[in-house]
């Protein structure tokens, strides 16, 4: 390790001037003046930010905080309301865990997030990353937070060429060794901001980087190659069919997806299983009707596969039995993105 990297002051001085404004963040000046972050807001933002960009999260965060401003309020929310508010943010297991965690914080900790990494880890949906982020950002405890931005910065300042994901333990050890005892919360956010704004994947702005002097990759000229990654396997493609049935009174045939599994607990259109494209296009109409195929198809990418959906529509008599949602209660924004795409095509 280069001596200069111990001087985390370089980074903190940069952060004092360049910290990104975030609705869940207490700026460095306010923090120095004694303003403490709201652990509920920090936790909410960190759960939302996993796999999602800051730009997308801002709106969702604002809506959640306006509707459920405290962990007590969220703990008392209806599951369906939270799932509907989360719709479009993806990775829906996070929303289910959000509720479970809020309820556990209220039931087991009197509505206060514990200021302790190990206790945080016992809460639903809080893994090592979120526990470290809440510990450091909300409670100013010296825990290293290793997100994609921090991985990149660590790989570069130490010129580490081991590909991800094998490099993770080494990068974590480096990040931990660098984490200072003074202002660890600001420091954690400073490294993330450095990765997001200066040490970017393709065009690192080394000339204005507070760590340019000690950075090994800048000296070696290898920054843009790092971090190395094992090439990803191509995602398989699956296909299926969804059925958008509408009664003549405007009500839509809809279902709540099973709790377990993809899009669990979310609203969705009835449909077939999603199967490998080498198999025949599956059909599973929810009821007998004059189903017609719509031109075009829905394409959507999940973490582990691409999905192509055939969309079928039918006009149904007003007395058709089944799980219908009245036109006045139907909000497309309550649907997860893939189901909203099907609606867009049908319309
Ligand atoms: S000097 Fe360049 S490569 Fe090194 S940390 Fe700064 S921006 Fe990243």
């Amino acid at each position: 390790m280069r001596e200069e990297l111990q001087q985390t002051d370089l980074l903190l001085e940069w952060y004092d001037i360049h910290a990104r404004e975030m609705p869940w963040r207490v700026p460095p000046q306010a923090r120095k003046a004694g303003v403490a972050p709201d652990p509920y807001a920090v936790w909410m933002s960190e759960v939302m930010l996993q796999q999602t960009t800051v730009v997308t999260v801002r709106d969702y965060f604002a809506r959640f905080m306006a509707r459920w401003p405290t962990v007590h309020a969220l703990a008392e929310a209806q599951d369906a309301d939270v799932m509907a508010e989360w719709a479009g943010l993806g990775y829906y297991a996070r929303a289910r865990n959000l509720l479970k965690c809020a309820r556990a914080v209220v039931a087991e900790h009197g509505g206060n997030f514990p200021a302790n990494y190990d206790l945080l880890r016992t809460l639903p949906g809080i893994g090592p990353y979120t526990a470290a982020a809440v510990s450091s950002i909300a409670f100013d405890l010296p825990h290293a937070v290793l997100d994609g931005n921090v991985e990149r910065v660590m790989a570069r300042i130490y010129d580490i060429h081991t590909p991800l994901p094998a490099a993770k333990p080494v990068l974590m050890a480096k990040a931990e060794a660098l984490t200072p005892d003074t202002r660890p919360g600001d420091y954690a956010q400073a490294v993330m901001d450095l990765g997001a704004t200066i040490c970017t994947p393709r065009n690192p702005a080394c000339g204005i980087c507070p760590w340019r002097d000690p950075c090994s990759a800048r000296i070696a000229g290898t920054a843009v190659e790092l971090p190395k990654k094992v090439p990803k396997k191509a995602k398989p493609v699956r296909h299926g069919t969804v059925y958008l049935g509408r009664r003549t009174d405007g009500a839509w045939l809809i279902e709540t997806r099973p709790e377990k599994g993809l899009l669990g607990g979310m609203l969705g259109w009835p449909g077939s299983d999603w199967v490998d494209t080498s198999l025949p296009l599956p059909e599973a109409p929810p009821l007998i009707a004059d189903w017609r195929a719509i031109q075009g198809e829905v394409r959507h990418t999940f973490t582990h596969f691409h999905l192509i959906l055939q969309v079928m529509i039918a006009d149904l008599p007003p007395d058709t039995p089944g799980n219908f949602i009245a036109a006045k209660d139907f909000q497309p924004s309550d649907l997860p993105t893939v189901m909203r795409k099907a609606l867009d095509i049908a319309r």
Side-chain angles (χ1 to χ4, degrees):
M1 183 198 308
R2 290 172 167 267
E3 286 271 309
E4 299 93 321
L5 286 176
Q6 296 292 10
Q7 297 165 8
T8 48
D9 288 358
L10 286 175
L11 187 64
L12 285 167
E13 282 167 17
W14 172 84
Y15 180 72
D16 286 343
I17 300 166
H18 298 287
R20 288 180 294 173
E21 178 279 324
M22 310 269 198
W24 48 84
R25 177 179 278 180
V26 173
Q29 290 73 17
R31 193 151 184 164
K32 282 184 198 167
V35 179
D38 174 5
Y40 172 64
V42 171
W43 162 75
M44 173 85 74
S45 67
E46 286 299 333
V47 174
M48 288 183 168
L49 283 166
Q50 287 165 37
Q51 318 280 343
T52 313
T53 63
V54 170
V55 176
T56 304
V57 165
R58 281 179 188 271
D59 283 352
Y60 281 88
F61 178 82
R63 283 207 305 276
F64 267 73
M65 293 302 283
R67 192 163 176 185
W68 301 293
T70 64
V71 70
H72 289 278
L74 183 61
E76 288 168 12
Q78 297 293 320
D79 291 38
D81 291 341
V82 172
M83 298 310 284
E85 204 66 84
W86 192 275
L89 205 46
Y91 299 91
Y92 296 96
R94 291 182 298 164
R96 294 192 296 276
N97 280 329
L98 193 83
L99 258 177
K100 282 189 204 154
C101 184
R103 287 167 184 161
V105 167
V106 169
E108 297 163 22
H109 300 281
N112 298 309
F113 280 83
N116 176 293
Y117 176 92
D118 293 325
L119 285 176
L120 285 166
R121 285 283 281 118
T122 65
L123 292 165
I126 296 199
Y129 172 82
T130 310
V134 175
S135 297
S136 67
I137 298 171
F139 299 117
D140 220 14
L141 297 169
H143 287 276
V145 183
L146 194 72
D147 68 357
N149 286 320
V150 181
E151 282 176 353
R152 185 168 59 256
V153 173
M154 291 299 123
R156 287 174 174 175
I157 57 176
Y158 291 103
D159 200 29
I160 292 169
H161 288 242
T162 310
L164 285 165
K168 271 181 192 282
V170 181
L171 299 176
M172 179 52 117
K174 297 292 188 192
E176 283 173 344
L178 275 183
T179 298
D181 288 330
T182 51
R183 302 180 63 193
D186 279 349
Y187 173 80
Q189 295 173 97
V191 191
M192 288 192 257
D193 279 16
L194 187 76
T197 62
I198 300 277
C199 194
T200 54
R202 286 192 198 91
N203 294 306
C206 302
I208 54 169
C209 175
W211 272 345
R212 62 187 170 275
D213 288 341
C215 178
S216 297
R218 184 194 63 77
I219 294 163
T222 53
V224 288
E225 300 167 25
L226 300 175
K228 297 244 160 94
K229 292 182 182 167
V230 173
K232 284 190 183 146
K233 276 196 255 162
K235 290 182 184 180
V237 180
R238 294 184 195 160
H239 63 168
T241 306
V242 282
Y243 297 84
L244 277 67
R246 195 169 198 195
R247 287 195 317 221
T248 46
D249 63 2
W252 290 94
L253 182 62
I254 201 117
E255 65 175 21
T256 301
R257 294 179 62 85
E259 277 296 317
K260 293 234 169 348
L262 215 55
L263 309 179
M266 300 297 296
L267 287 179
W269 308 113
S272 70
D273 290 341
W274 300 341
V275 300
D276 195 276
T277 28
S278 62
L279 299 170
L281 185 62
E283 294 182 15
L287 46 81
I288 296 168
D290 180 20
W291 295 104
R292 306 181 307 281
I294 295 265
Q295 282 236 329
E297 58 200 13
V298 170
R299 287 177 176 259
H300 191 76
T301 296
F302 291 99
T303 314
H304 299 298
F305 64 95
H306 301 291
L307 178 67
I308 300 174
L309 285 179
Q310 158 92 69
V311 180
M312 308 288 286
I313 58 165
D315 299 317
L316 306 171
D319 57 351
T320 308
N323 188 25
F324 283 84
I325 182 166
K328 68 176 175 44
D329 299 327
F330 178 67
Q331 301 209 47
S333 61
D334 290 351
L335 296 167
T337 306
V338 63
M339 298 297 170
R340 216 178 310 161
K341 286 181 183 175
L343 177 67
D344 290 345
I345 284 197
R347 279 175 163 172

